[in-house]
Amino acid sequence: MDKRVLTIGLIAVLFTTTSCGIDYETNVADGTRRQVLHVGNGDEPRELDPHIVTGNIEFKLCMALLEGLLSRHPEDLRLMPGVAESWREGDGGKTYLFRLREDAKWSNGDPVVAQDFVFSWQRALLPALGNNYAYMLYYLENAEKFHKGEIKDFAKVGVKALDERTLEVRLENPAPFFLQLLAHQSYYPVHRETIEKFGAADERGTKWTRPGNHVGNGPFKLKEWALNRRIVVEKNDHYWDADAVKLNQVVFYPIQNATTEERMFRAGQLHITNNLPVDKTEYYRKERPEALKIFPYFSTYYYIFNTLSPPLDDIRVRQALTMSIDRKQITEKITKAGQLPAFNFTPPDTNGYTAKARVTYDAERARTLLAEAGYPGGENFPVIELMYNTSEEHRRIAIAIQQMWKINLNVNVTLLNQDWKVYLDKRDSKDYQVARAGWIGDYLDPITFLDLFVSTGGNNDTGWSDKRYDELIAKAATIVEQEKRYALLQEAEAILMTELPVMPIYTYVSKSLVSPDVRGWRPNILDQHPYKYISLTPSQ
Amino acid sequence: MVKFILKRLLQAIPVLVTVTIITFLLIHAAPGGPFDEEKAVPPEVLKHLNERYKLDQPIHVQFYDYLKNALQGDLGPSFKYPGRSVNEIIAAGFPVTFELGCYALLFALLIGVGSGIIASLQPNTCQDYVPMAFATMGICLPSYVLGPLLVLLFGIWLEWLPVAGWELTPGDKLLPSITLGSVYAAYIARLSRGGMIETLSRDFIRTARAKGMPESIIIFRHALRVGLLPVVSFLGPALAGLLTGSFVVETIFQIPGLGRYFVQGAFNRDYTLILGVTLLLASLIVLFNLIADVMIAWLDPKVRHETING
């Protein structure tokens, strides 16, 4: 008797601990009612300082908190006035004069003046700050010399405040894409008084970016930053275009795991996700197509060849390897989210530029080339090693390519999986034969892809160097007229697609889930969605 | 007893120093540095960064500096998060991981001891087999399987509980605690069943029964105290395991704990962060094992006697 009572009692305890359900309103329902947007943002941002951070995660936050001279239209990404209300080009594209709007204000009410930009760009170039994006400012006259410590006097650098509302900019060379850069975080202004209150201008990681300290000039201001939990920004009433801002708050969650993020979306905890697991694409395509947003992204997935050592120093071998993979198979059977097979290095239709040079899939020709290189039927071809960084998708693509090379060329490949930092180290020291790589363009111009492979390029890990290519890229930097410039870049890309230090595989897509409550969110190639233009309306 | 505790604490010092040295050497020996990025870092920027974080100095100087600061409670700045000190990151993450670990342990004890006792009361019957089958399943089922299953059931189908988060919505602590605790619940169930069966067949229980004591008093007052000894000695390592092994659960449920730094600190070559977290967790493991030993001594007169005299 006693035992039975005991047993029942214990079982009851087990059940009550596991089965207490709680009713709650979802974030999405509550957020839509109060104009609070809940966004998955990938990871904890390293910092919120626009002159220290480089990633997309941080950019999304900077974009909410700060504004550059120019901004972008949320749909077609065309440049629009930001802090500058108008601008004028002069001296054959070498100088610009910006007129700042009178009502541009910092979130503490101070006016945004031309001197703020001079201070901010100087800060971005101070060597001790350790700004990885300092090179983005090298287009300014003498900026590179200043950053490298060759000149100490910042007055020699090509930026000057003529008065509070007029900013003069002088460039090293005419750069037709210069205006694009002004919408990039590396050119964003910071509030001088705030920076100096918390440390020297070139001190890394001071407390100025903390809630309560942060002063910005964007449509939103920083309200809360709970490490690894969330970041909350709220509407900035001092913003010059505050009337256009519909959202009261944006809440950013650092969710790394795409599966978790998808679950949170499904349970109504997020309006917008940062990513989508591969295996869920099909489900959303069939069941909830209105929430699925897939769009080509300004980024290429490719393999690089170490051209310094045999057999990959032979151009015919590289051509044979490039020609013998079926990219369509890879995008249709493996990546499956609508990625575009890439037959050249730059993504299609980059600000009016689409590469004419194309690599093809031609196994027959590939075998001939390999035979010409001295390996008929893959005979005597040494085993080569293909390195990729840890990721299920990279692994599957590598296996597919390994197969294709085996079947089409009878070439044997071993796979080498490395953790991220080891992979970077091996690439950098050219301790590899074939390696997986990816590149995201910094701004909408093909040059941000093509200047990767100049001989002196810090990101050219292939050992490949071509004088004509270097000349073309250098010459293109001096030409203003877009058509002539693009003709030079076409020629350069044709060289790249013949020499093939790089084997393009596919163009990435951005993948997000977006609640139908969200208005004003438009897919675009940079995957940039200014929160300024977003609003929330219940969808049912 | 005080002497015993002091002795154990003194023994901990060389252990912790060794752990620090090994971690320091391993992380520095791993290829790649904290500032390597996909976009090549210009050499002049790298030079300044290395100077700023004193990575340009000889390794023994770096280690000496680290140890000196660590002894004063300063674990240094994080490399990955320029605005954060390691102390700050740990202060934000550790309470969460600790709380999660405690709930998980509580759940494990409740379920484990409960079902262990139930099973031990009628060994080799249905009442034994059913909970033990669950326990075996619990041991076999890793948290990355159990977690998503629970989320699917309670979060998505039944819509009873939030699918992820920590202190964001009421009830969001329940599923991660259960997920993390279930493996330990299973171990504890088996341990307490074994302990109880053995104890219930011992002479002093027979004596108690012969005296006509009610069964509940026999079990709760006499048998449990001895029967649960194996569980108590398991608690120290269990709590340590819960704290160091919470990474998967923290990822599944989007919990802002320390687990992700423990794993990613190593991937990012965030030298100070990984050292700080390792040092903290090593100290806790030492501490919890000590506490478990003390508790055993307190519960078991035989061990208590040995501890005090030897």
Side-chain angles (χ1 to χ4, degrees):
Chain A
M1 178 65 198
D2 237 358
K3 276 186 192 172
R4 204 177 305 155
V5 173
L6 208 65
T7 311
I8 293 168
L10 284 166
I11 290 175
V13 171
L14 302 193
F15 269 89
T16 44
T17 47
T18 50
S19 63
C20 34
I22 295 154
D23 269 335
Y24 56 92
E25 190 182 22
T26 63
N27 277 347
V28 167
D30 172 70
T32 302
R33 196 159 40 75
R34 299 191 296 124
Q35 295 294 318
V36 176
L37 184 73
H38 295 271
V39 191
N41 199 29
D43 200 352
E44 173 69 17
R46 300 182 61 167
E47 244 299 339
L48 295 180
D49 188 324
H51 303 144
I52 287 183
V53 299
T54 52
N56 274 338
I57 286 154
E58 289 85 359
F59 180 69
K60 287 185 188 173
L61 286 153
C62 287
M63 187 172 61
L65 295 170
L66 297 164
E67 185 176 60
L69 285 171
L70 304 187
S71 65
R72 284 185 191 284
H73 189 274
E75 192 170 357
D76 56 16
L77 299 173
R78 70 168 183 271
L79 292 166
M80 305 210 305
V83 174
E85 60 183 8
S86 63
W87 54 92
R88 215 172 56 226
E89 199 184 301
D91 193 14
K94 273 186 81 170
T95 63
Y96 287 90
L97 212 58
F98 294 92
R99 181 78 180 150
L100 272 55
R101 61 179 75 248
E102 201 180 352
D103 51 355
K105 288 203 173 66
W106 294 97
S107 54
N108 66 353
D110 290 356
V112 180
V113 292
Q115 285 83 355
D116 285 327
F117 283 89
V118 178
F119 168 76
S120 303
W121 295 0
Q122 176 175 9
R123 173 175 188 260
L125 285 165
L126 289 174
L129 187 68
N131 177 7
N132 275 349
Y133 258 148
Y135 72 87
M136 290 281 280
L137 288 94
Y138 282 3
Y139 302 99
L140 303 174
E141 189 178 62
N142 288 328
E144 185 170 0
K145 285 186 190 138
F146 179 79
H147 184 235
K148 292 186 169 159
E150 289 161 26
I151 54 171
K152 300 280 174 213
D153 183 9
F154 191 74
K156 289 189 180 133
V157 178
V159 55
K160 201 165 143 197
L162 300 184
D163 60 54
E164 287 209 333
R165 291 184 52 206
T166 317
L167 187 73
E168 185 197 62
V169 174
R170 293 183 313 279
L171 301 186
E172 197 76 41
N173 287 307
F177 50 86
F178 177 69
L179 291 176
Q180 300 255 2
L181 303 177
L182 299 175
H184 188 272
Q185 67 196 38
S186 47
Y187 281 84
Y188 277 178
V190 288
H191 188 245
R192 178 170 196 161
E193 232 171 82
T194 307
I195 299 279
E196 289 177 341
K197 191 168 146 195
F198 294 97
D202 60 356
E203 198 175 330
R204 276 171 81 80
T206 67
K207 304 257 182 252
W208 83 267
T209 49
R210 299 299 171 85
N213 304 345
H214 188 278
V215 174
N217 71 330
F220 297 89
K221 58 184 181 186
L222 186 61
K223 179 164 185 265
E224 183 192 335
W225 183 0
L227 190 66
N228 237 331
R229 290 169 191 248
R230 59 183 186 173
I231 291 182
V232 183
V233 301
E234 65 183 355
K235 189 174 169 177
N236 171 15
D237 292 325
H238 287 291
Y239 180 60
W240 63 271
D241 202 9
D243 291 345
V245 181
K246 302 285 187 304
L247 292 174
N248 289 322
Q249 286 186 1
V250 186
V251 187
F252 298 87
Y253 299 92
I255 311 163
Q256 286 177 305
N257 187 312
T259 314
T260 302
E261 196 184 32
E262 187 272 333
R263 258 186 243 129
M264 289 176 76
F265 179 81
R266 212 171 346 151
Q269 289 189 29
L270 295 174
H271 283 109
I272 302 175
T273 70
N274 181 57
N275 203 346
L276 177 68
V278 183
D279 51 349
K280 293 280 191 252
T281 325
E282 243 353 89
Y283 167 81
Y284 279 93
R285 208 169 262 154
K286 281 203 191 98
E287 305 293 328
R288 294 183 64 184
E290 78 287 352
L292 180 67
K293 307 285 175 192
I294 287 182
F295 203 78
Y297 186 47
F298 196 44
S299 178
T300 307
Y301 187 106
Y302 56 98
Y303 281 179
I304 49 175
F305 297 123
N306 183 351
T307 63
L308 295 179
S309 61
L312 297 166
D313 57 345
D314 189 325
I315 177 173
R316 291 164 300 190
V317 171
R318 299 198 297 267
Q319 287 172 339
L321 292 173
T322 308
M323 277 183 191
S324 55
I325 64 161
D326 186 353
R327 294 163 178 78
K328 248 181 106 186
Q329 288 271 348
I330 293 170
T331 56
E332 280 172 9
K333 300 274 163 60
I334 300 174
T335 62
K336 289 197 285 200
Q339 285 85 351
L340 312 169
F343 299 97
N344 42 260
F345 189 55
T346 52
D349 193 21
T350 304
N351 206 8
Y353 173 95
T354 300
K356 292 182 186 127
R358 286 169 72 86
V359 295
T360 46
Y361 173 47
D362 185 349
E364 199 54 48
R365 173 99 185 98
R367 279 190 284 272
T368 318
L369 281 163
L370 198 66
E372 280 171 21
Y375 311 102
E379 229 172 90
N380 300 326
F381 194 84
V383 177
I384 50 175
E385 190 176 67
L386 165 53
M387 174 176 76
Y388 57 93
N389 57 297
T390 311
S391 140
E392 183 53 26
E393 190 158 304
H394 299 337
R395 191 181 68 86
R396 291 169 63 189
I397 292 172
I399 290 173
I401 289 179
Q402 181 189 37
Q403 286 287 322
M404 290 172 186
W405 282 343
K406 177 73 192 166
I407 292 166
N408 289 334
L409 300 174
N410 191 28
V411 160
N412 290 309
V413 179
T414 54
L415 303 183
L416 178 68
N417 182 6
Q418 291 289 10
D419 121 67
W420 180 240
K421 292 280 183 174
V422 179
Y423 155 89
L424 289 178
D425 190 59
K426 285 179 89 103
R427 253 182 72 168
D428 190 50
S429 53
K430 297 193 181 51
D431 177 17
Y432 75 94
Q433 288 185 292
V434 184
R436 173 263 147 196
W439 188 258
I440 306 172
D442 287 323
Y443 45 91
L444 270 186
D445 194 278
I447 194 73
T448 147
F449 280 83
L450 293 174
D451 72 358
L452 231 61
F453 292 100
V454 296
S455 308
T456 52
N459 290 301
N460 180 359
D461 295 329
T462 63
W464 179 75
S465 153
D466 185 276
K467 218 172 135 234
R468 177 74 189 139
Y469 187 84
D470 294 353
E471 280 169 12
L472 284 166
I473 298 293
K475 200 172 162 203
T478 62
I479 290 175
V480 195
E481 209 184 320
Q482 200 68 301
E483 217 169 294
K484 272 191 192 160
R485 205 173 140 259
Y486 279 178
L488 293 172
L489 296 181
Q490 288 284 8
E491 200 182 321
E493 188 154 4
I495 294 176
L496 196 67
M497 287 301 97
T498 313
E499 292 269 333
L500 295 167
V502 48
M503 175 176 99
I505 297 172
Y506 67 78
T507 305
Y508 278 92
V509 286
S510 56
K511 301 176 279 183
S512 299
L513 297 171
V514 178
S515 152
D517 290 2
V518 177
R519 304 293 150 89
W521 189 101
R522 300 177 184 90
N524 60 56
I525 189 168
L526 290 180
D527 197 23
Q528 286 180 7
H529 311 282
Y531 302 104
K532 177 180 167 178
Y533 301 101
I534 292 179
S535 63
L536 295 165
T537 318
S539 52
Q540 288 119 16
Chain B
M1 185 61 96
V2 177
K3 204 176 129 200
F4 166 72
I5 295 176
L6 277 177
K7 196 173 130 200
R8 288 285 299 270
L9 285 176
L10 277 177
Q11 281 170 352
I13 295 172
V15 172
L16 294 179
V17 172
T18 315
V19 166
T20 314
I21 293 177
I22 292 175
T23 314
F24 191 88
L25 291 179
L26 278 178
I27 190 78
H28 279 266
F35 306 117
D36 289 345
E37 310 241 358
E38 183 155 34
K39 287 187 178 164
V41 182
E44 54 277 7
V45 173
L46 195 62
K47 190 171 145 268
H48 280 286
L49 287 174
N50 282 334
E51 271 170 27
R52 160 83 175 73
Y53 294 101
K54 302 203 172 96
L55 290 178
D56 52 344
Q57 297 185 4
I59 190 144
H60 62 273
V61 177
Q62 288 183 44
F63 182 71
Y64 175 73
D65 278 350
Y66 180 81
L67 212 57
K68 200 174 74 186
N69 291 330
L71 283 175
Q72 292 163 2
D74 175 12
L75 298 170
S78 159
F79 293 157
K80 162 107 185 190
Y81 304 100
R84 306 272 174 185
S85 68
V86 174
N87 292 43
E88 192 184 352
I89 291 176
I90 289 179
F94 181 67
V96 176
T97 300
F98 189 71
E99 196 185 340
L100 172 66
C102 287
Y103 289 149
L105 194 63
L106 200 70
F107 169 80
L109 280 173
L110 222 62
I111 301 290
V113 173
S115 52
I117 296 173
I118 293 175
S120 70
L121 295 180
Q122 301 274 357
N124 303 322
T125 61
C126 235
Q127 193 179 324
D128 180 13
Y129 294 145
V130 173
M132 283 310 112
F134 271 104
T136 311
M137 250 166 64
I139 292 174
C140 300
L141 217 58
S143 48
Y144 56 83
V145 175
L146 182 65
L149 277 178
L150 288 176
V151 169
L152 198 67
L153 182 63
F154 293 105
I156 293 184
W157 287 345
L158 296 173
E159 294 186 4
W160 285 357
L161 292 168
V163 297
W166 189 260
E167 285 171 1
L168 289 177
T169 17
D172 58 9
K173 293 179 180 175
L174 219 49
L175 288 184
S177 307
I178 294 173
T179 309
L180 185 60
S182 68
V183 173
Y184 294 89
Y187 274 110
I188 289 174
R190 297 203 71 91
L191 283 173
S192 48
R193 174 186 175 270
M196 285 300 283
I197 288 180
E198 199 201 322
T199 312
L200 285 172
S201 65
R202 276 163 73 176
D203 290 347
F204 71 93
I205 298 293
R206 200 184 315 153
T207 312
R209 283 196 177 127
K211 285 199 306 189
M213 247 182 218
E215 191 70 18
S216 56
I217 294 190
I218 294 178
I219 290 170
F220 284 111
R221 194 177 297 166
H222 297 287
L224 268 187
R225 182 161 176 167
V226 181
L228 289 189
L229 279 179
V231 175
V232 176
S233 56
F234 176 64
L235 284 186
L239 192 53
L242 285 167
L243 295 180
T244 51
S246 59
F247 170 67
V248 175
V249 172
E250 286 180 11
T251 311
I252 296 173
F253 289 99
Q254 186 54 26
I255 295 170
L258 214 51
R260 80 157 76 174
Y261 299 116
F262 194 40
V263 176
Q264 290 186 340
F267 284 142
N268 292 329
R269 307 288 186 269
D270 198 336
Y271 298 156
T272 42
L273 184 58
I274 191 70
L275 273 165
V277 177
T278 309
L279 200 58
L280 172 81
L281 293 176
S283 320
L284 288 175
I285 291 173
V286 170
L287 183 71
F288 292 143
N289 280 323
L290 176 62
I291 293 174
D293 288 352
V294 171
M295 274 175 76
I296 287 175
W298 174 67
L299 283 171
D300 189 341
K302 215 168 77 194
V303 182
R304 179 167 34 184
H305 186 74
E306 281 165 13
T307 323
I308 292 169
N309 297 326

